[in-house]
Structure formats: C-alpha cells, structure tokens
C-alpha cells in the first residue's frame, strides 16, 4: 500500500482564503483526482480519515473547507451544536458551492500527481448537494458520487438557493451515483426516484443505489461523527460501491 502525502494549501477566496487539504498516494504515476465535500458538521477527525481512506484506493483527494466564510476549518459537535451546524449549512448559496468546488478543482488540477482528464467529486449530506451543484457547474468533472443529500428535492427556497436543484438537472455534466437507504426520510426512496426520473427525462446517467435491511437503516449512515446515524454494514456497502463507480468512471487500476 502506497504511503500518503498530506498538504494543506490556502487559496484566495471571498472570505480572504479557503483551506484545502490535498491527500495523495505516493504512487509515482498520475492518478485520478476527487474533490471531497464534507457534511454539515464540517472538517472533523472522522472526515479527515474518510479522505485518507479514499486516497488509499488510488485517488488524489482535495478536501475544501466549505465553511471558510464563517471561520477557519469550523466544525460542530452534535447534538450540542446541531442548530449551529444547520445554520452553517444553510448559509451556503448555490454560487458559493460552485465557487468553492471550482477552487478545489483548480488545486487538484495543479497537482503533478493528478491525471487532469480524470477528476470527480463526492459529497455526503450537505456535501452531496455541493457535489450536485458542482456536477452541474463544472464541465471538466467526469463523475459525481452523492450520498443521501436531502436538499436536491426541496420545498423551501432562499435568496441563495432560489430554485430546486431538480430544475438544474439538465445541466449535469457527468454520470451521477446516488447512495441512500430505505429507512431514510430525507431523502426518501420516493425523493430519489423523482431525481432519477428527472435525470432520465434529460438523458443523464444516474445510478441509484439503495441500501435495504431489516430493520431499515436511516439517514447519514456513513457518518461516524453524527451520533445515532452510523451503520457499519451500510457504510461498508456504500464505500465499496462508491469506489467501484469512481474507478469505472475515472479510471483506476484494479488491484
């Protein structure tokens, strides 16, 4: 197994600067790159380990600090700071999401270890919405893997999010994988079916993966830093599917 090289870089942003962690296998050959979008709790120790795990699978991974407008590398401890975390997530506009992922992509594309023709994005919860907006905004993305984003099918809008993301689905630039569970209410299986139907209408490649179990697993099943949500079996299932999807769409040598 290749060792990992980790580097924090700062890029100019509307807040002054945005931190981006780059984690690269010491492989000696160009590898696909992936922007990793964190959940609404921010960059926690668990999120750092999740980035390293993906990098060990043969990807150069860039983790942007999506909460940089609120402070440097902010994260929230649940349940005590849940309201603050929800507010932080809600403060991100579609424009912010597009800009931040573009900045992170630019960081990736500047890495000598990255194969510039093979870059993708992954996101979890809030980060899944960010990944979706990125897939609509950036033509150089080749894949987007989204885990249980609750905000692609929405009833409420804000000035920063004036329409449902569903109305943007015709703008998708790459294949999308959507990981969710049968016991989730946001997004529910019906929500994901609606996204899939819209994708089909516009001829977009959308791969729906639904985890079914008895009893059913709920929301955010890959998140060890969200109390009461993590499910080891579901997380293992999802990560294997995510790795296979990224390897297939971006091109990773099988081992």
């Amino acid at each position: 197994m290749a060792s990992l090289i980790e580097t924090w870089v700062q890029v100019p942003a509307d807040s002054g600067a945005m931190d981006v962690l780059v984690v690269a296998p010491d492989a000696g050959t160009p590898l696909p790159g992936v922007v990793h979008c964190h959940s609404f709790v921010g960059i926690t120790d668990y999120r750092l380990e999740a980035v390293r795990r993906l990098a060990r699978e043969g990807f150069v991974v860039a983790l942007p600090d999506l909460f940089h407008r609120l402070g440097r590398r902010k994260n929230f401890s649940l349940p005590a700071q849940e309201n603050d975390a929800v507010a932080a997530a809600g403060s991100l506009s579609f424009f912010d999401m597009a800009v931040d992922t573009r900045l992170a992509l630019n960081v990736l594309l500047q890495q000598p270890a990255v194969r510039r023709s093979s870059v993708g994005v992954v996101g979890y919860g809030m980060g899944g919405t960010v990944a979706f907006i990125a897939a609509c905004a950036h033509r150089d993305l080749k894949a987007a893997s989204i885990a249980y984003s609750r905000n692609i099918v929405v009833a409420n809008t804000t000035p920063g999010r004036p329409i449902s993301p569903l109305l943007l689905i015709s703008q998708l630039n790459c294949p999308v994988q959507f990981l969710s569970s049968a016991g989730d209410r946001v997004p529910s299986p019906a929500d994901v079916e609606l996204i899939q139907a819209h994708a089909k209408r516009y001829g977009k490649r959308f791969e729906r993966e639904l985890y079914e179990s008895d009893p059913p697993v709920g929301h955010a099943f890959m998140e060890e830093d969200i109390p009461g949500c993590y499910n080891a079996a579901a997380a293992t299932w999802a990560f294997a599917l995510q790795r296979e999807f990224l390897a297939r769409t971006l091109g990773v040598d099988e081992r």
Side-chain angles (χ1 to χ4, degrees):
M1 180 184 298
S3 59
L4 299 180
I5 302 170
E6 299 187 15
T7 308
W8 281 102
V9 299
Q10 281 194 340
V11 294
D14 55 300
S15 63
M18 180 178 76
D19 287 351
V20 181
L21 175 65
V22 179
V23 182
D26 188 11
T29 57
L31 299 171
V34 177
V35 173
H36 186 116
C37 303
H38 60 74
S39 76
F40 82 137
V41 296
I43 299 179
T44 62
D45 289 342
Y46 164 72
R47 185 55 51 200
L48 296 174
E49 285 305 314
V51 167
R52 293 170 185 135
R53 182 180 183 184
L54 185 58
R56 292 187 189 101
E57 295 295 331
F59 304 93
V60 180
V61 186
L63 172 67
D65 177 12
L66 299 172
F67 292 155
H68 62 93
R69 296 171 185 85
L70 305 175
R72 192 177 184 193
R73 301 187 204 173
K74 286 187 72 67
N75 60 71
F76 302 95
S77 178
L78 303 187
Q81 296 180 301
E82 183 169 0
N83 289 340
D84 294 333
V86 170
S91 71
L92 284 175
S93 69
F94 290 160
F95 183 78
D96 294 336
M97 297 176 191
V99 168
D100 290 353
T101 51
R102 182 71 260 168
L103 292 173
L105 273 169
N106 289 348
V107 169
L108 266 184
L109 294 171
Q110 291 165 6
Q111 305 302 311
V114 170
R115 190 191 311 142
R116 295 174 61 89
S117 61
S118 301
V119 290
V121 61
V122 302
Y124 307 82
M126 177 206 81
T129 305
V130 178
F132 180 86
I133 296 300
C136 294
H138 309 314
R139 294 183 179 180
D140 47 354
L141 283 173
K142 304 302 183 185
S145 179
I146 296 169
Y148 39 76
S149 169
R150 66 172 66 195
N151 290 319
I152 294 176
V153 178
V154 294
N156 299 320
T157 58
T158 67
R161 304 182 188 186
I163 59 173
S164 165
L166 271 179
L167 299 179
L168 301 173
I169 208 162
S170 64
Q171 304 302 310
L172 281 173
N173 291 297
C174 62
V176 172
Q177 177 191 61
F178 200 101
L179 303 161
S180 61
S181 55
D184 201 339
R185 289 191 256 179
V186 281
S188 67
D191 289 337
V192 184
E193 287 177 7
L194 183 60
I195 302 170
Q196 185 176 38
H198 276 69
K200 183 177 180 181
R201 176 183 176 186
Y202 289 101
K204 304 301 180 179
R205 186 168 146 198
F206 185 90
E207 300 182 19
R208 180 191 181 205
E209 304 290 355
L210 182 70
Y211 186 77
E212 299 184 89
S213 60
D214 186 16
V217 170
H219 188 64
F221 53 80
M222 298 176 79
E223 312 300 321
E224 291 187 32
D225 48 8
I226 301 180
C229 289
Y230 181 72
N231 181 281
T236 299
W237 166 88
F239 185 77
L241 285 172
Q242 186 179 73
R243 195 271 173 189
E244 187 279 331
F245 172 78
L246 293 172
R248 173 164 39 91
T249 51
L250 300 181
V252 171
D253 292 336
E254 296 296 334
R255 303 168 201 180

Short mmCIF file of all heavy atoms in Angstrom, two decimals, residues 17-58:
data_model
loop_
_atom_site.label_atom_id
_atom_site.label_comp_id
_atom_site.label_asym_id
_atom_site.label_seq_id
_atom_site.Cartn_x
_atom_site.Cartn_y
_atom_site.Cartn_z
N ALA A 17 -9.37 33.67 2.36
CA ALA A 17 -8.66 32.45 1.97
C ALA A 17 -9.49 31.23 2.34
O ALA A 17 -10.24 31.26 3.31
CB ALA A 17 -7.30 32.38 2.65
N MET A 18 -9.37 30.18 1.56
CA MET A 18 -10.01 28.91 1.84
C MET A 18 -8.94 27.84 1.97
O MET A 18 -8.07 27.72 1.11
CB MET A 18 -11.00 28.52 0.75
CG MET A 18 -11.71 27.19 1.01
SD MET A 18 -12.95 26.76 -0.26
CE MET A 18 -11.89 26.23 -1.61
N ASP A 19 -8.99 27.06 3.04
CA ASP A 19 -8.07 25.95 3.22
C ASP A 19 -8.54 24.75 2.40
O ASP A 19 -9.74 24.45 2.35
CB ASP A 19 -8.01 25.53 4.69
CG ASP A 19 -7.24 26.52 5.54
OD1 ASP A 19 -6.61 27.43 4.99
OD2 ASP A 19 -7.27 26.38 6.78
N VAL A 20 -7.60 24.07 1.78
CA VAL A 20 -7.87 22.84 1.05
C VAL A 20 -6.81 21.81 1.45
O VAL A 20 -5.61 22.09 1.33
CB VAL A 20 -7.84 23.04 -0.48
CG1 VAL A 20 -8.16 21.73 -1.20
CG2 VAL A 20 -8.80 24.14 -0.91
N LEU A 21 -7.25 20.67 1.94
CA LEU A 21 -6.32 19.58 2.23
C LEU A 21 -6.19 18.71 1.00
O LEU A 21 -7.19 18.26 0.44
CB LEU A 21 -6.84 18.74 3.41
CG LEU A 21 -6.01 17.48 3.72
CD1 LEU A 21 -4.61 17.86 4.20
CD2 LEU A 21 -6.73 16.60 4.74
N VAL A 22 -4.95 18.46 0.59
CA VAL A 22 -4.68 17.55 -0.53
C VAL A 22 -4.01 16.30 0.03
O VAL A 22 -2.98 16.40 0.72
CB VAL A 22 -3.79 18.20 -1.60
CG1 VAL A 22 -3.50 17.21 -2.72
CG2 VAL A 22 -4.44 19.46 -2.15
N VAL A 23 -4.61 15.15 -0.23
CA VAL A 23 -4.05 13.87 0.21
C VAL A 23 -3.77 13.03 -1.03
O VAL A 23 -4.70 12.75 -1.81
CB VAL A 23 -5.00 13.13 1.17
CG1 VAL A 23 -4.36 11.83 1.64
CG2 VAL A 23 -5.35 14.01 2.36
N ALA A 24 -2.52 12.65 -1.22
CA ALA A 24 -2.13 11.95 -2.44
C ALA A 24 -1.34 10.69 -2.10
O ALA A 24 -0.43 10.73 -1.26
CB ALA A 24 -1.27 12.86 -3.33
N PRO A 25 -1.67 9.57 -2.74
CA PRO A 25 -0.82 8.39 -2.60
C PRO A 25 0.55 8.65 -3.23
O PRO A 25 0.64 9.31 -4.26
CB PRO A 25 -1.59 7.31 -3.37
CG PRO A 25 -2.97 7.84 -3.55
CD PRO A 25 -2.84 9.33 -3.59
N ASP A 26 1.56 8.15 -2.61
CA ASP A 26 2.91 8.28 -3.16
C ASP A 26 3.12 7.17 -4.19
O ASP A 26 3.84 6.20 -3.96
CB ASP A 26 3.93 8.19 -2.03
CG ASP A 26 5.34 8.51 -2.49
OD1 ASP A 26 5.50 9.01 -3.63
OD2 ASP A 26 6.29 8.26 -1.72
N ALA A 27 2.44 7.33 -5.34
CA ALA A 27 2.36 6.24 -6.32
C ALA A 27 3.38 6.33 -7.43
O ALA A 27 3.71 5.34 -8.07
CB ALA A 27 0.95 6.21 -6.92
N GLY A 28 3.84 7.54 -7.75
CA GLY A 28 4.82 7.69 -8.81
C GLY A 28 4.23 7.79 -10.20
O GLY A 28 4.96 8.02 -11.17
N THR A 29 2.92 7.62 -10.34
CA THR A 29 2.25 7.76 -11.63
C THR A 29 1.03 8.65 -11.45
O THR A 29 0.46 8.71 -10.35
CB THR A 29 1.80 6.40 -12.18
OG1 THR A 29 0.94 5.77 -11.22
CG2 THR A 29 3.00 5.50 -12.44
N PRO A 30 0.58 9.34 -12.50
CA PRO A 30 -0.61 10.19 -12.38
C PRO A 30 -1.85 9.38 -12.02
O PRO A 30 -2.07 8.28 -12.53
CB PRO A 30 -0.74 10.81 -13.77
CG PRO A 30 0.64 10.74 -14.35
CD PRO A 30 1.22 9.47 -13.81
N LEU A 31 -2.67 9.95 -11.13
CA LEU A 31 -3.86 9.28 -10.63
C LEU A 31 -5.08 10.18 -10.82
O LEU A 31 -4.94 11.40 -10.97
CB LEU A 31 -3.71 8.98 -9.13
CG LEU A 31 -2.56 8.06 -8.71
CD1 LEU A 31 -2.43 8.05 -7.20
CD2 LEU A 31 -2.78 6.65 -9.25
N PRO A 32 -6.28 9.61 -10.80
CA PRO A 32 -7.49 10.44 -10.85
C PRO A 32 -7.58 11.33 -9.61
O PRO A 32 -7.05 10.99 -8.54
CB PRO A 32 -8.63 9.43 -10.87
CG PRO A 32 -8.02 8.12 -11.17
CD PRO A 32 -6.60 8.18 -10.75
N GLY A 33 -8.27 12.46 -9.75
CA GLY A 33 -8.46 13.38 -8.64
C GLY A 33 -9.92 13.45 -8.24
O GLY A 33 -10.81 13.35 -9.09
N VAL A 34 -10.17 13.65 -6.96
CA VAL A 34 -11.54 13.74 -6.45
C VAL A 34 -11.64 14.88 -5.44
O VAL A 34 -10.83 14.96 -4.51
CB VAL A 34 -11.98 12.42 -5.76
CG1 VAL A 34 -13.38 12.57 -5.17
CG2 VAL A 34 -11.93 11.26 -6.73
N VAL A 35 -12.62 15.76 -5.62
CA VAL A 35 -12.96 16.76 -4.61
C VAL A 35 -13.93 16.11 -3.64
O VAL A 35 -14.94 15.52 -4.04
CB VAL A 35 -13.59 18.01 -5.25
CG1 VAL A 35 -14.09 18.97 -4.17
CG2 VAL A 35 -12.58 18.71 -6.14
N HIS A 36 -13.62 16.21 -2.35
CA HIS A 36 -14.39 15.55 -1.29
C HIS A 36 -15.12 16.64 -0.49
O HIS A 36 -14.47 17.49 0.14
CB HIS A 36 -13.42 14.78 -0.40
CG HIS A 36 -14.04 13.94 0.66
ND1 HIS A 36 -13.92 12.57 0.69
CD2 HIS A 36 -14.78 14.26 1.74
CE1 HIS A 36 -14.55 12.10 1.74
NE2 HIS A 36 -15.08 13.11 2.40
N CYS A 37 -16.45 16.63 -0.54
CA CYS A 37 -17.26 17.68 0.09
C CYS A 37 -17.83 17.18 1.42
O CYS A 37 -18.62 16.21 1.44
CB CYS A 37 -18.39 18.11 -0.84
SG CYS A 37 -17.81 18.70 -2.44
N HIS A 38 -17.46 17.83 2.50
CA HIS A 38 -17.82 17.36 3.84
C HIS A 38 -19.30 17.61 4.16
O HIS A 38 -20.00 18.36 3.48
CB HIS A 38 -16.94 18.03 4.89
CG HIS A 38 -17.02 19.53 4.95
ND1 HIS A 38 -18.09 20.20 5.48
CD2 HIS A 38 -16.13 20.50 4.56
CE1 HIS A 38 -17.89 21.50 5.42
NE2 HIS A 38 -16.70 21.71 4.85
N SER A 39 -19.76 16.98 5.23
CA SER A 39 -21.15 17.11 5.67
C SER A 39 -21.32 18.39 6.49
O SER A 39 -20.38 19.19 6.65
CB SER A 39 -21.55 15.91 6.51
OG SER A 39 -20.97 16.00 7.80
N PHE A 40 -22.51 18.57 7.06
CA PHE A 40 -22.82 19.81 7.76
C PHE A 40 -22.11 19.97 9.10
O PHE A 40 -22.23 21.02 9.73
CB PHE A 40 -24.34 19.96 7.93
CG PHE A 40 -24.97 19.22 9.08
CD1 PHE A 40 -25.93 19.85 9.87
CD2 PHE A 40 -24.65 17.90 9.37
CE1 PHE A 40 -26.55 19.18 10.92
CE2 PHE A 40 -25.25 17.23 10.41
CZ PHE A 40 -26.21 17.87 11.20
N VAL A 41 -21.36 18.98 9.52
CA VAL A 41 -20.59 19.14 10.77
C VAL A 41 -19.18 19.66 10.50
O VAL A 41 -18.43 19.93 11.44
CB VAL A 41 -20.54 17.83 11.59
CG1 VAL A 41 -21.93 17.45 12.06
CG2 VAL A 41 -19.90 16.70 10.82
N GLY A 42 -18.81 19.82 9.24
CA GLY A 42 -17.51 20.42 8.94
C GLY A 42 -16.38 19.40 8.85
O GLY A 42 -16.60 18.20 8.71
N ILE A 43 -15.15 19.90 8.96
CA ILE A 43 -13.96 19.05 8.83
C ILE A 43 -13.60 18.51 10.21
O ILE A 43 -12.92 19.16 11.00
CB ILE A 43 -12.78 19.81 8.20
CG1 ILE A 43 -13.16 20.29 6.79
CG2 ILE A 43 -11.55 18.91 8.13
CD1 ILE A 43 -12.07 21.08 6.09
N THR A 44 -14.09 17.33 10.50
CA THR A 44 -13.83 16.66 11.77
C THR A 44 -12.71 15.64 11.58
O THR A 44 -12.25 15.38 10.46
CB THR A 44 -15.09 15.94 12.25
OG1 THR A 44 -15.44 14.94 11.28
CG2 THR A 44 -16.26 16.91 12.43
N ASP A 45 -12.28 15.02 12.69
CA ASP A 45 -11.28 13.95 12.60
C ASP A 45 -11.79 12.80 11.73
O ASP A 45 -11.04 12.21 10.95
CB ASP A 45 -10.92 13.43 13.99
CG ASP A 45 -10.12 14.42 14.80
OD1 ASP A 45 -9.54 15.36 14.20
OD2 ASP A 45 -10.06 14.28 16.04
N TYR A 46 -13.07 12.50 11.85
CA TYR A 46 -13.64 11.43 11.02
C TYR A 46 -13.55 11.80 9.54
O TYR A 46 -13.22 10.96 8.69
CB TYR A 46 -15.10 11.15 11.38
CG TYR A 46 -15.81 10.37 10.31
CD1 TYR A 46 -15.50 9.02 10.11
CD2 TYR A 46 -16.71 10.98 9.44
CE1 TYR A 46 -16.10 8.30 9.08
CE2 TYR A 46 -17.31 10.27 8.42
CZ TYR A 46 -17.01 8.93 8.24
OH TYR A 46 -17.59 8.23 7.23
N ARG A 47 -13.86 13.06 9.21
CA ARG A 47 -13.81 13.46 7.80
C ARG A 47 -12.40 13.34 7.24
O ARG A 47 -12.20 12.93 6.09
CB ARG A 47 -14.32 14.90 7.66
CG ARG A 47 -14.42 15.41 6.24
CD ARG A 47 -15.26 14.52 5.35
NE ARG A 47 -16.56 14.23 5.94
CZ ARG A 47 -17.33 13.20 5.59
NH1 ARG A 47 -16.94 12.37 4.66
NH2 ARG A 47 -18.51 13.01 6.17
N LEU A 48 -11.40 13.67 8.04
CA LEU A 48 -10.02 13.53 7.60
C LEU A 48 -9.69 12.06 7.32
O LEU A 48 -9.01 11.74 6.33
CB LEU A 48 -9.07 14.10 8.65
CG LEU A 48 -9.19 15.61 8.91
CD1 LEU A 48 -8.30 16.02 10.08
CD2 LEU A 48 -8.84 16.41 7.66
N GLU A 49 -10.16 11.17 8.18
CA GLU A 49 -9.92 9.75 7.96
C GLU A 49 -10.64 9.24 6.72
O GLU A 49 -10.15 8.38 5.99
CB GLU A 49 -10.34 8.94 9.19
CG GLU A 49 -9.36 9.06 10.35
CD GLU A 49 -7.95 8.67 9.95
OE1 GLU A 49 -7.76 7.62 9.29
OE2 GLU A 49 -7.00 9.43 10.28
N ALA A 50 -11.85 9.76 6.47
CA ALA A 50 -12.60 9.36 5.27
C ALA A 50 -11.86 9.78 4.01
O ALA A 50 -11.83 9.04 3.01
CB ALA A 50 -14.00 9.98 5.30
N VAL A 51 -11.24 10.96 4.02
CA VAL A 51 -10.44 11.42 2.88
C VAL A 51 -9.24 10.50 2.68
O VAL A 51 -8.92 10.10 1.55
CB VAL A 51 -10.00 12.88 3.11
CG1 VAL A 51 -8.92 13.29 2.12
CG2 VAL A 51 -11.20 13.81 3.02
N ARG A 52 -8.57 10.15 3.76
CA ARG A 52 -7.40 9.26 3.65
C ARG A 52 -7.80 7.89 3.12
O ARG A 52 -7.08 7.28 2.32
CB ARG A 52 -6.73 9.13 5.02
CG ARG A 52 -6.10 10.43 5.50
CD ARG A 52 -5.66 10.35 6.94
NE ARG A 52 -5.17 11.65 7.41
CZ ARG A 52 -5.50 12.19 8.58
NH1 ARG A 52 -6.31 11.54 9.41
NH2 ARG A 52 -5.02 13.37 8.92
N ARG A 53 -8.95 7.41 3.55
CA ARG A 53 -9.41 6.11 3.08
C ARG A 53 -9.63 6.13 1.57
O ARG A 53 -9.23 5.18 0.88
CB ARG A 53 -10.71 5.72 3.80
CG ARG A 53 -11.25 4.36 3.40
CD ARG A 53 -12.53 4.03 4.14
NE ARG A 53 -12.99 2.70 3.79
CZ ARG A 53 -14.12 2.17 4.22
NH1 ARG A 53 -14.93 2.87 5.02
NH2 ARG A 53 -14.48 0.94 3.87
N LEU A 54 -10.22 7.18 1.06
CA LEU A 54 -10.43 7.27 -0.38
C LEU A 54 -9.10 7.40 -1.11
O LEU A 54 -8.90 6.78 -2.17
CB LEU A 54 -11.33 8.47 -0.69
CG LEU A 54 -11.75 8.66 -2.14
CD1 LEU A 54 -12.48 7.42 -2.67
CD2 LEU A 54 -12.64 9.89 -2.30
N ALA A 55 -8.17 8.14 -0.55
CA ALA A 55 -6.86 8.29 -1.18
C ALA A 55 -6.14 6.95 -1.26
O ALA A 55 -5.45 6.66 -2.26
CB ALA A 55 -6.02 9.30 -0.41
N ARG A 56 -6.29 6.11 -0.25
CA ARG A 56 -5.64 4.79 -0.26
C ARG A 56 -6.16 3.91 -1.38
O ARG A 56 -5.53 2.91 -1.73
CB ARG A 56 -5.82 4.10 1.08
CG ARG A 56 -5.06 4.76 2.23
CD ARG A 56 -5.13 3.94 3.50
NE ARG A 56 -4.60 4.69 4.63
CZ ARG A 56 -5.34 5.30 5.54
NH1 ARG A 56 -6.68 5.21 5.48
NH2 ARG A 56 -4.78 5.97 6.53
N GLU A 57 -7.32 4.24 -1.94
CA GLU A 57 -7.89 3.47 -3.03
C GLU A 57 -7.37 3.91 -4.40
O GLU A 57 -7.81 3.41 -5.43
CB GLU A 57 -9.42 3.58 -3.01
CG GLU A 57 -10.06 2.97 -1.78
CD GLU A 57 -9.87 1.46 -1.72
OE1 GLU A 57 -9.75 0.82 -2.78
OE2 GLU A 57 -9.83 0.91 -0.60
N GLY A 58 -6.45 4.88 -4.40
CA GLY A 58 -5.81 5.25 -5.66
C GLY A 58 -6.27 6.57 -6.25
O GLY A 58 -6.22 6.76 -7.47
#
